[in-house]
Amino acid sequence: QVHLRESGGGSVQVGGSLRLSCEASGSISTPFCRGWFRQAPGKEREGIAALGTGGDISYADSVKGRFTIVQDNSRNTLFLQMNNLKVDDSAMYYCAADLCRVVPGNAKYLRQTGQGTLVTVSS
């Protein structure tokens, strides 16, 4: 079983940037995929960025052009670089080991997730 630990969340102002990290440990299968989703209070999960087994990357329209998913050389840590943050980006952000492609509505089925890291964007 793979264990995921997110970090890097915090409070920023509109237009600011944050870099989230997802460190994986345990039974890491290869090839593997990994991604990020978020959940704001009272809202459904939203898949926002994913790295597929073939290296293909997908993003939600809501973050395209602002967020970038990056994998480190060891392939055990996945980053989410978030630029030009908006108030609507405020949410708990989670890493998922079973998110291979961003498809609207599929985030609710994710099970291999970490505990999350909180992002708050204020105006």
Side-chain angles (χ1 to χ4, degrees):
Q1 183 178 359
V2 63
H3 300 282
L4 304 171
R5 185 170 66 92
E6 302 92 339
S7 62
S11 297
V12 296
Q13 292 191 321
V14 169
S17 298
L18 282 174
R19 186 177 176 93
L20 306 184
S21 300
C22 171
E23 184 176 353
S25 61
S27 300
I28 302 173
S29 61
T30 56
F32 67 91
C33 58
R34 202 159 295 159
W36 292 90
F37 69 97
R38 65 188 180 187
Q39 188 165 25
K43 294 188 177 181
E44 293 186 351
R45 289 179 172 183
E46 178 189 16
I48 55 173
L51 176 64
T53 55
D56 50 305
I57 296 174
S58 56
Y59 296 98
D61 288 343
S62 59
V63 306
K64 202 171 292 183
R66 301 187 297 122
F67 291 11
T68 304
I69 196 169
V70 181
Q71 182 176 267
D72 77 339
N73 290 336
S74 73
R75 306 185 66 181
N76 288 340
T77 302
L78 189 72
F79 302 98
L80 183 68
Q81 178 65 43
M82 307 188 297
N83 298 327
N84 191 21
L85 283 161
K86 305 176 180 180
V87 172
D88 286 348
D89 293 321
S90 298
M92 188 70 83
Y93 282 71
Y94 300 87
C95 181
D98 49 352
L99 177 56
C100 301
R101 181 170 180 79
V102 172
V103 176
N106 73 340
K108 58 180 172 286
Y109 302 114
L110 300 173
R111 292 295 178 263
Q112 299 181 44
T113 71
Q115 296 300 308
T117 185
L118 182 63
V119 172
T120 304
V121 185
S122 58
S123 58

